[in-house]
């Protein structure tokens, strides 16, 4: 009998029994450690020791019986943690390699947050398809991170990243400096732009990320900071050159904060690239040569307080997938980001101290679609609407890198789905399709530069 196909009705009795064995208690404790919230490392009182496995992984048929869960847990190592995407749904969870991605929930918390009375042990299917996994860099080895990534990035390609060691003060400074920049008078911001190199200010509505479904440009303004390249390395046709910086008299700390942050973000992304390499090959250096040098853009974003109107085609940021390898996203505590999971748009709520990481198109192509470049958008909610600030960091291969499906990701049954492309050309084509002011300037400079 396929044990993952047990019907809920037949398993009800067994699931209702609380888990009180030492194994489960230890894992409950470990779970609390993983998210380090509440620092509750001792077993909770008896009535809170009930645990339940919830459905989260598309390839598994849930729920399992108590015995099956216990067997699986006994066989697997805890390698990471999962947390639900919604604030109300938030709960502690864990992953084990044999289970795929699963969620181990303390009975009382799980039932309460799902709106059921404590003591109910019915499977909480509400959490299905609502999980954005968490990867903790500080607690896991590269191989362990790779194991989690290969389980969770095949679905929506989004995760929370903790344990990244970027000081909270630096993250706060980035958002504070960004606010000060966007607070400058419009004519001063407009002057801070180099549309040829795709640097500096982009006006409200300039970008339309989903032209097919938007009636207006995105309700956001932005500011691009690229890799500072001068001298021989500069090449306008390849978007390589100096950045545009605000006058230090206006914003004396802006440049140093952004440069420090960009350095940190690059460090994290390099680490993730190695983990991703291990997720799809035996060699952690598989991608290294394509990122020597990498091409990266830090983009500051400021969403206006105008609520989005999905029916009228008005979005903070239209639906799109990111173009490059990895995006590391820092946001303030305002909601708005959503990711498409199947047919459903799922909220990716801001989480204190955690980055949101998502996979871009290049990586999807390299892995022949195994890892998903998730479609996402920003919908500014009507209730309690405030201006929102975010800062995506796009980490991409070198402009000249050729992105070609990895051999390890195809075979006779899965032939290569994507032809090789030049990373830089792909980016330019995307920018041209989505930025109103991009085309003419870039083309002009190309002619001059030959
Ligand atoms: O602001 C956000 O939360 C997301 C922005 C985004 O997806 C992008 O700029 O590509
Ligand atoms: Fe994006």
């Amino acid at each position: 009998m396929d044990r993952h196909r047990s019907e809920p009705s037949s398993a009800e009795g067994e699931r209702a029994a609380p888990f009180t064995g030492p194994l489960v208690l230890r894992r409950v404790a470990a779970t609390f450690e993983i998210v380090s919230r509440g620092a509750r490392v001792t077993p909770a009182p008896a009535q809170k020791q009930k645990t339940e496995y919830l459905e989260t992984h598309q390839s598994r048929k849930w729920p399992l019986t108590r015995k099956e869960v216990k067997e699986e847990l006994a066989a697997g190592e805890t390698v990471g943690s999962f947390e639900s995407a919604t604030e109300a749904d938030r709960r502690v969870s864990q992953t084990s390699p044999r289970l795929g991605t699963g969620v181990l929930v303390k009975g009382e918390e799980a039932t309460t947050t799902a709106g059921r009375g404590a003591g109910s042990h019915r499977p909480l299917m509400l959490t299905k398809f609502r999980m954005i996994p968490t990867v903790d860099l500080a607690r896991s080895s590269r191989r362990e991170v790779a194991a989690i990534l290969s389980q969770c990035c095949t679905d929506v390609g989004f995760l929370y990243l903790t344990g990244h060691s970027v000081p909270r003060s630096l993250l706060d400074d980035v958002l504070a400096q960004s606010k000060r920049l966007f607070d400058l008078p419009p004519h001063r911001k407009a002057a801070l732009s180099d549309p040829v190199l795709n640097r500096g200010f982009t006006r409200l509505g300039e970008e339309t990320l989903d032209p097919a479904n938007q009636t207006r440009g995105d309700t956001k303004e932005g500011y691009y900071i690229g890799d500072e390249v001068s001298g021989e390395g500069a090449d306008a046709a390849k978007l390589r050159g100096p950045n545009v910086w605000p006058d230090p008299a206006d914003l004396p700390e802006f440049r140093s904060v952004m440069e420090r942050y960009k350095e940190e973000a690059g460090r994290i992304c390099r680490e993730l690239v190695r983990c991703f390499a291990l997720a799809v090959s035996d060699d952690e250096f598989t991608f290294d040569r394509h990122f020597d040098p990498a091409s990266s853009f830090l983009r500051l974003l400021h969403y206006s307080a105008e609520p989005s109107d999905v029916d009228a085609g008005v979005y903070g940021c239209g639906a799109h997938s990111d173009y490059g390898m990895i995006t590391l996203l820092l946001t303030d505590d305002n909601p708005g980001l959503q990711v498409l999971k199947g047919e459903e748009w799922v909220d990716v709520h801001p989480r204190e101290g955690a980055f949101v990481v998502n996979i871009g198109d290049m990586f999807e192509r390299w892995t022949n679609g195994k890892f998903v470049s998730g479609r996402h958008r920003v919908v500014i909610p009507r209730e309690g609407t405030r201006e929102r600030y975010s800062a995506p960091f796009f980490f991409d291969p070198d402009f000249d890198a050729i992105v070609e499906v990895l051999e390890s990701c195809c075979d006779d049954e899965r032939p290569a789905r994507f032809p090789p492309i030049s990373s830089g050309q792909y980016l330019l084509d995307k920018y041209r399709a989505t930025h109103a002011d991009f085309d003419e300037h870039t083309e002009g400079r190309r002619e001059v530069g030959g």
Side-chain angles (χ1 to χ4, degrees):
M1 186 187 113
D2 181 347
R3 63 210 183 96
H4 298 306
R5 295 194 182 282
S6 54
E7 290 303 315
S9 55
S10 65
E12 200 72 78
E14 279 200 290
R15 276 197 319 277
F19 293 149
T20 52
L23 171 72
V24 173
L25 290 180
R26 183 163 61 78
R27 291 191 182 275
V28 168
T31 299
F32 276 99
E33 270 176 16
I34 286 168
V35 294
S36 65
R37 195 183 323 111
R40 219 162 357 139
V41 291
T42 50
Q47 74 274 18
K48 293 187 178 178
Q49 288 173 8
K50 296 161 191 165
T51 56
E52 199 162 354
Y53 239 86
L54 305 189
E55 175 167 7
T56 56
H57 197 271
Q58 56 185 9
S59 67
R60 298 272 167 176
K61 183 80 179 169
W62 295 89
L64 303 181
T65 64
R66 174 192 175 202
K67 185 164 166 280
E68 288 163 344
V69 169
K70 217 167 172 182
E71 276 170 15
E72 292 277 12
L73 281 175
E77 277 295 308
T78 300
V79 294
S81 67
F82 271 55
E83 194 152 356
S84 96
T86 60
E87 207 63 46
D89 240 7
R90 184 169 284 185
R91 65 196 52 145
V92 183
S93 53
Q94 69 180 158
T95 307
S96 93
R98 282 192 61 210
L99 280 170
T101 56
V103 182
L104 181 65
V105 179
K106 280 173 54 56
E108 194 181 43
E109 278 196 27
T111 50
T112 306
T113 54
R116 298 171 197 266
S120 161
H121 303 286
R122 284 155 58 206
L124 303 175
M125 294 305 182
L126 276 179
T127 58
K128 188 181 174 186
F129 301 140
R130 290 200 182 278
M131 298 293 169
I132 304 294
T134 297
V135 172
D136 185 340
L137 275 185
R139 283 179 174 267
S140 314
S141 70
R142 236 176 232 161
R143 274 204 188 275
E144 288 167 338
V145 171
I148 303 171
L149 294 174
S150 33
Q151 288 166 0
C152 68
C153 292
T154 52
D155 192 355
V156 287
F158 268 67
L159 54 97
Y160 290 111
L161 188 76
T162 58
H164 47 70
S165 78
V166 184
R168 182 73 233 182
S169 57
L170 182 55
L171 304 181
D172 291 343
D173 286 350
V174 170
L175 294 173
Q177 291 294 318
S178 170
K179 178 168 180 351
R180 289 187 60 178
L181 176 93
F182 289 117
D183 280 348
L184 290 174
H187 69 281
R188 303 274 302 283
K189 288 190 281 191
L192 292 172
S193 170
D194 181 346
V196 176
L197 285 172
N198 202 35
R199 304 295 165 93
F201 184 67
T202 54
R203 63 184 161 75
L204 187 79
E206 179 182 325
E207 194 177 14
T208 308
L209 275 163
D210 184 13
N213 291 304
Q214 285 178 262
T215 51
R216 278 163 46 193
D218 298 352
T219 58
K220 68 179 196 301
E221 53 184 349
Y223 197 88
Y224 277 111
I225 301 169
D227 302 322
E228 188 89 17
V229 180
S230 57
E232 293 216 330
D235 184 346
K238 296 183 176 179
L239 304 180
R240 292 178 182 145
N243 281 312
V244 176
W245 298 108
D247 188 341
D250 292 327
L251 296 171
E253 289 162 44
F254 183 89
R255 181 172 178 170
S256 67
V257 165
M258 297 308 162
E259 286 185 333
R260 244 184 316 140
Y261 178 66
K262 204 161 161 290
E263 190 75 28
E264 291 282 344
R267 171 184 64 77
I268 296 167
C269 288
R270 280 184 189 283
E271 177 59 25
L272 284 173
V273 162
R274 295 209 170 150
C275 298
F276 278 125
L278 282 178
V280 291
S281 74
D282 287 336
D283 178 7
E284 66 188 54
F285 305 116
T286 296
F287 296 113
D288 273 32
R289 69 194 161 92
H290 301 295
F291 293 84
D292 183 22
S295 163
S296 64
F297 271 105
L298 170 61
R299 193 167 190 210
L300 308 176
L301 295 175
H302 170 219
Y303 293 85
S304 76
E306 178 184 357
S308 298
D309 185 341
V310 171
D311 294 334
V314 179
Y315 294 86
C317 153
H320 66 284
S321 59
D322 289 348
Y323 316 143
M325 181 76 173
I326 298 172
T327 305
L328 190 73
L329 178 72
L330 168 68
T331 71
D332 65 11
D333 54 8
N334 289 310
L337 179 62
Q338 298 183 328
V339 61
L340 189 61
K341 192 154 186 173
E343 305 275 292
E344 190 189 356
W345 286 101
V346 175
D347 291 326
V348 184
H349 279 273
R351 258 185 64 187
E352 173 90 23
F355 288 111
V356 172
V357 171
N358 64 287
I359 284 165
D361 298 348
M362 308 271 178
F363 196 41
E364 179 171 281
R365 297 176 79 101
W366 252 319
T367 62
N368 204 20
K370 177 183 174 198
F371 281 24
V372 174
S373 175
R375 208 164 163 75
H376 53 285
R377 66 184 189 183
V378 173
V379 174
I380 302 295
R382 198 159 284 281
E383 310 80 39
T385 302
R386 283 178 295 165
E387 294 166 50
R388 177 175 183 269
Y389 293 84
S390 73
F393 174 78
F394 303 106
F395 189 74
D396 302 337
D398 175 39
F399 194 96
D400 295 315
I402 300 296
V403 178
E404 186 170 10
V405 171
L406 291 169
E407 270 180 28
S408 60
C409 294
C410 43
D411 52 35
D412 289 349
E413 273 155 36
R414 291 170 302 158
R417 284 170 44 197
F418 305 98
I421 47 153
S422 137
S423 169
Q425 194 55 51
Y426 187 77
L427 285 188
L428 285 177
D429 291 346
K430 288 285 188 180
Y431 284 144
R432 189 170 294 118
T434 52
H435 285 268
D437 295 346
F438 187 74
D439 207 22
E440 86 196 73
H441 299 286
T442 310
E443 292 300 328
R445 178 69 76 89
R446 273 227 197 96
E447 278 162 28
V448 173

mmCIF file of all heavy atoms in Angstrom, residues 320 322 376 394, ligand 2:
data_model
loop_
_atom_site.group_PDB
_atom_site.id
_atom_site.type_symbol
_atom_site.label_atom_id
_atom_site.label_comp_id
_atom_site.label_asym_id
_atom_site.label_seq_id
_atom_site.Cartn_x
_atom_site.Cartn_y
_atom_site.Cartn_z
ATOM 1 N N HIS A 320 5.776 39.847 -12.826
ATOM 2 C CA HIS A 320 6.970 39.569 -13.634
ATOM 3 C C HIS A 320 7.799 38.497 -12.931
ATOM 4 O O HIS A 320 7.577 38.201 -11.763
ATOM 5 C CB HIS A 320 7.822 40.838 -13.752
ATOM 6 C CG HIS A 320 8.397 41.279 -12.433
ATOM 7 N ND1 HIS A 320 7.629 41.914 -11.470
ATOM 8 C CD2 HIS A 320 9.637 41.147 -11.899
ATOM 9 C CE1 HIS A 320 8.376 42.158 -10.409
ATOM 10 N NE2 HIS A 320 9.599 41.706 -10.635
ATOM 11 N N ASP A 322 12.009 37.778 -12.213
ATOM 12 C CA ASP A 322 13.244 38.551 -12.306
ATOM 13 C C ASP A 322 14.143 37.931 -13.378
ATOM 14 O O ASP A 322 14.049 36.753 -13.684
ATOM 15 C CB ASP A 322 13.937 38.610 -10.943
ATOM 16 C CG ASP A 322 13.160 39.501 -9.974
ATOM 17 O OD1 ASP A 322 12.251 40.219 -10.432
ATOM 18 O OD2 ASP A 322 13.444 39.458 -8.765
ATOM 19 N N HIS A 376 6.003 37.247 -9.643
ATOM 20 C CA HIS A 376 5.596 37.997 -8.456
ATOM 21 C C HIS A 376 5.159 39.413 -8.844
ATOM 22 O O HIS A 376 5.388 39.857 -9.973
ATOM 23 C CB HIS A 376 6.727 38.027 -7.419
ATOM 24 C CG HIS A 376 8.043 38.519 -7.946
ATOM 25 N ND1 HIS A 376 8.859 37.758 -8.758
ATOM 26 C CD2 HIS A 376 8.693 39.701 -7.790
ATOM 27 C CE1 HIS A 376 9.948 38.447 -9.064
ATOM 28 N NE2 HIS A 376 9.872 39.635 -8.492
ATOM 29 N N PHE A 394 19.867 42.703 -7.416
ATOM 30 C CA PHE A 394 19.845 41.709 -8.484
ATOM 31 C C PHE A 394 21.273 41.223 -8.739
ATOM 32 O O PHE A 394 22.142 42.020 -9.106
ATOM 33 C CB PHE A 394 19.280 42.320 -9.764
ATOM 34 C CG PHE A 394 17.893 42.892 -9.587
ATOM 35 C CD1 PHE A 394 17.687 44.268 -9.537
ATOM 36 C CD2 PHE A 394 16.790 42.061 -9.460
ATOM 37 C CE1 PHE A 394 16.413 44.802 -9.376
ATOM 38 C CE2 PHE A 394 15.511 42.575 -9.299
ATOM 39 C CZ PHE A 394 15.325 43.947 -9.253
HETATM 40 FE FE1 LIG B 2 11.003 41.308 -9.054
#
